[in-house]
Amino acid sequence: MPRVAFDDLPPAVRQAVTIQTGRITTTRTVGGGINSAVAALLDTETGIVFVKGIPADHPQVASQKREIAISPYLPAACPRLLWHVEAGGWVLLGYEAVDGRHADYTNNDDLTLVLAALVELQEVSAPGDVHLKTAVERWGKYAKEGQAELFAGEALLHTDFAPDNVLIDSGRARLIDWAWPTRGAAWIDPFMLALRIMEAGATAAQAVSWAQRVPSWHESDPKALGAFAAAVTELWREIAAEDPAPWKVSMADHAARLKTYVFVTRWAF
């Protein structure tokens, strides 16, 4: 999504933000992420704020609103949502600013911090008063008949551990970009992290060796894990077929290799 500088937003939008923050002295557009048209750090009289947002008529505005709804339930590893506004045809979210860098999944120290944040998240159940898509709904159409229910559970899942969605800050990992919060089996998140570790260059065995450090992985039903690996592979195969961008084709390949590894070794878990 093309980036729009905060200073180029309509006056009504900037005024709505100023009401929340007080006087804004400087603004800086930041890189990373693909799902926000606005991503900026604002220096204000109440402190530094990170602002992200998209046009109110954009198809992804629903994901922004999911992010707003889930924010009160997130663990301390996640930056706090301070406010949100809808004005001038835009939806903007203001977050606690984190002075960090994106995670490096080739770095063992970073991975250790990411796992700690994930273990903290796994203590959180999906809230009953927020409508979330379930894992059965998200991946069920790609599963074999009768297997989708194996993905069910009550854990609050992040599901997208792309390095852009994890910040390393002062010796801890911070999970950001909650566009796809999901209700499902807790072991799904370690699986999705393993897939991103492979994207960074690890083998399936190396990626799983990290995922296995999360307790829910060992509590998973091997049949459920295998069914999910197959469903994720089908999903990425479809994504790559519809848009053969190199990174999508690579993710489809990683998913297939992870599925093969899980099918060969799952009974040893």
Side-chain angles (χ1 to χ4, degrees):
M1 188 181 302
R3 278 284 149 85
V4 176
F6 180 83
D7 292 336
D8 292 336
L9 291 172
V13 183
R14 289 183 278 119
Q15 181 179 10
V17 172
T18 301
I19 290 172
Q20 300 293 330
T21 65
R23 185 172 60 89
I24 299 170
T25 55
T26 61
T27 69
R28 178 168 62 90
T29 297
V30 299
I34 59 175
N35 295 321
S36 294
V38 173
L41 286 169
L42 311 182
D43 286 300
T44 80
E45 63 183 5
T46 56
I48 302 174
V49 180
F50 172 70
V51 175
K52 60 184 283 188
I54 55 177
D57 60 356
H58 193 281
Q60 291 186 6
V61 75
S63 68
Q64 291 270 43
K65 293 185 176 179
R66 281 194 298 269
E67 194 167 344
I68 293 167
I70 203 66
S71 64
Y73 303 94
L74 301 181
C78 305
R80 292 177 299 117
L81 177 65
L82 304 174
W83 46 261
H84 57 90
V85 298
E86 184 167 352
W90 286 79
V91 177
L92 297 183
L93 285 64
Y95 277 95
E96 167 193 8
V98 175
D99 184 18
R101 58 175 174 80
H102 294 299
D104 176 2
Y105 288 169
T106 68
N107 183 305
N108 287 354
D109 290 338
D110 279 15
L111 283 173
T112 298
L113 295 176
V114 174
L115 286 179
L118 176 52
V119 169
E120 180 184 26
L121 172 61
Q122 300 237 296
E123 297 297 320
V124 180
S125 297
D129 58 346
V130 176
H131 176 71
L132 298 177
K133 186 167 282 191
T134 68
V136 173
E137 292 169 330
R138 280 193 63 182
W139 292 285
K141 65 177 285 190
Y142 302 99
K144 292 182 179 179
E145 185 175 356
Q147 291 187 333
E149 59 267 23
L150 297 172
F151 312 156
E154 293 302 316
L156 175 61
L157 306 175
H158 184 284
T159 75
D160 186 0
F161 290 89
D164 280 355
N165 292 338
V166 184
L167 294 177
I168 304 298
D169 167 50
S170 301
R172 72 185 305 183
R174 312 288 295 270
L175 305 179
I176 63 174
D177 198 350
W178 282 82
W180 294 103
T182 302
R183 184 191 309 273
W187 49 263
I188 288 175
D189 262 354
F191 183 98
M192 301 304 282
L193 174 59
L195 192 57
R196 291 297 185 169
I197 294 173
M198 291 181 67
E199 183 186 24
T203 66
Q206 290 168 333
V208 168
S209 73
W210 286 100
Q212 285 178 319
R213 303 185 190 192
V214 182
S216 63
W217 183 279
H218 294 283
E219 298 165 3
S220 65
D221 178 351
K223 180 180 178 182
L225 197 60
F228 187 73
V232 171
T233 299
E234 287 302 311
L235 169 60
W236 276 108
R237 182 178 294 139
E238 178 181 282
I239 291 172
E242 292 177 354
D243 177 10
W247 76 271
K248 294 180 181 180
V249 173
S250 293
M251 286 298 292
D253 179 62
H254 299 322
R257 289 191 290 115
L258 184 55
K259 179 192 77 170
T260 298
Y261 183 81
V262 166
F263 268 85
V264 169
T265 63
R266 59 183 174 157
W267 301 111
F269 298 157

